[in-house]
Amino acid sequence: MKEGFNTVLVVGVGLIGGSLALALKEKKITKTVIGYSRNIERLKKAVTKGIIDDFTDALDKTSQADLVVLATPVSVFEALISQMRDYIKKDTIIIDVGSVKGSIVEKIERLLPSEVYFVGTHPIAGSEKTGFEYARADLFINSKVIITPTDKTAMSALEKVTQMWKHIGADVEFMSPEQHDRVYALVSHLPHLLSYCLVETVAQFDKFFINYAGSGFRDITRVAKSSPELWSDIFITNRENILNFLEMFTNKLKQMRDLILKENITQLKAFLESARKLRESID
């Protein structure tokens, strides 16, 4: 990458923020990564692991950054921008790595001073594990990164952010913030919600039954090990789309219930076969 960033401030040094810090340093896209958090002890550990080079619990350090990465739960983005806006220097680029865009992008764009540029991004990477302890420089290789420009997005910033993600190995695609939130409500947020609900259904009947879970249950509920803080935030922030798709899913459950109740084996097999074929298309 011809033009990188001298200093990057990562706000929220977890799995994604930490992995991006490592990738940017490995590919020499930045010289220095500063980590921000209120938990100084955690940041000290991130320094010892080589994930970040320096740390701060003060947002006035934003003035040192050429690139700011918002890697906290999305519901605090607005408050963070409000606190750092007076310290951001001219031509700084701000990106996020959140899985909800929509109104979040609009609020950030409205709050930022002129000549500071925001580009919404969402790396489709990671796991149910959280924390910088699991950060990897190669996390984004061959992973999708969805970039969500608006009519207010500066082309120079968009091009630089796009090249940054490509340089660390990601496959970049573009969507509007609204389309992004519809897509990921259905293929990410709803599955997480259902995974939590399935585990809670077992708990309601008899927690002891969890000890008999096989690979199928483990596969479908793996994401229920994800951060409750992160996912409760996502469910609320993208609630309109999630609730719409939850209603569609409820109708599918009712359809399946009726087929089983009526012992309609022909239509039941057709239902399952249709789902099987679509699922196989992404293997």
Side-chain angles (χ1 to χ4, degrees):
M1 185 173 171
K2 293 181 180 179
E3 296 183 9
F5 302 95
N6 187 54
T7 301
V8 175
L9 175 66
V10 177
V11 182
V13 187
L15 172 62
I16 300 299
S19 294
L20 182 56
L22 289 173
L24 293 176
K25 291 200 293 181
E26 183 178 275
K27 294 295 184 179
K28 303 188 186 311
I29 296 172
T30 187
K31 296 177 182 177
T32 304
V33 177
I34 302 172
Y36 167 86
S37 172
R38 293 178 180 175
N39 190 332
I40 291 296
E41 293 307 312
R42 290 282 294 160
L43 290 173
K44 288 179 180 178
K45 290 179 181 178
V47 171
T48 62
K49 287 182 172 290
I51 294 170
I52 57 177
D53 304 300
D54 198 358
F55 61 85
T56 182
D57 61 354
L59 284 172
D60 57 3
K61 289 290 184 74
T62 306
S63 62
Q64 300 179 21
D66 308 293
L67 174 70
V68 177
V69 180
L70 301 177
T72 63
V74 295
S75 63
V76 301
F77 285 178
E78 186 176 2
L80 287 168
I81 293 294
S82 295
Q83 293 171 51
M84 68 173 66
R85 59 173 294 167
D86 292 336
Y87 306 110
I88 308 171
K89 64 184 180 181
K90 179 182 174 182
D91 295 327
T92 296
I93 295 175
I94 299 177
I95 69 170
D96 77 307
V97 293
S99 68
V100 182
K101 294 294 181 274
S103 62
I104 303 294
V105 172
E106 180 184 351
K107 289 175 181 176
I108 292 175
E109 289 179 334
R110 187 172 65 248
L111 285 169
L112 285 177
S114 60
E115 299 182 306
V116 173
Y117 310 111
F118 176 73
V119 181
T121 78
H122 177 200
I124 315 304
S127 73
E128 72 282 0
K129 297 176 181 177
T130 59
F132 60 75
E133 291 85 356
Y134 301 100
R136 307 185 341 246
D138 64 352
L139 184 67
F140 308 107
I141 294 176
N142 298 323
S143 293
K144 286 186 189 298
V145 169
I146 309 300
I147 297 182
T148 59
T150 71
D151 56 5
K152 295 181 180 179
T153 305
M155 187 56 65
S156 59
L158 179 62
E159 290 176 355
K160 191 167 185 178
V161 170
T162 300
Q163 289 306 310
M164 179 199 79
W165 281 114
K166 287 183 176 180
H167 200 68
I168 61 175
D171 297 324
V172 173
E173 294 190 20
F174 300 91
M175 292 183 190
S176 69
E178 295 75 21
Q179 178 69 355
H180 168 277
D181 286 0
R182 286 191 292 270
V183 169
Y184 284 95
L186 187 54
V187 301
S188 176
H189 306 165
L190 182 62
H192 277 78
L193 185 152
L194 299 178
S195 179
Y196 284 113
C197 287
L198 183 54
V199 175
E200 277 299 295
T201 301
V202 174
Q204 181 178 341
F205 188 78
D206 191 332
K207 289 183 178 181
F208 182 73
F209 282 22
I210 200 79
N211 297 301
Y212 297 99
S215 60
F217 186 90
R218 293 172 186 272
D219 288 345
I220 202 170
T221 61
R222 176 184 57 81
V223 294
K225 297 189 290 181
S226 302
S227 165
E229 179 187 13
L230 173 67
W231 281 97
S232 59
D233 185 80
I234 290 170
F235 294 153
I236 296 299
T237 310
N238 199 23
R239 60 188 175 276
E240 183 176 347
N241 286 308
I242 292 172
L243 290 173
N244 286 339
F245 289 127
L246 184 58
E247 184 174 355
M248 291 176 61
F249 182 80
T250 300
N251 290 334
K252 286 295 179 184
L253 285 178
K254 290 177 181 176
Q255 182 182 351
M256 178 69 84
R257 176 185 179 278
D258 289 343
L259 292 175
I260 295 172
L261 186 63
K262 296 174 183 177
E263 299 183 23
N264 190 330
I265 188 67
T266 301
Q267 289 188 30
L268 182 58
K269 287 170 64 177
F271 184 108
L272 301 179
E273 179 64 16
S274 175
R276 183 187 69 83
K277 285 183 177 179
L278 183 58
R279 176 61 182 82
E280 284 186 340
S281 69
I282 59 173
D283 285 335

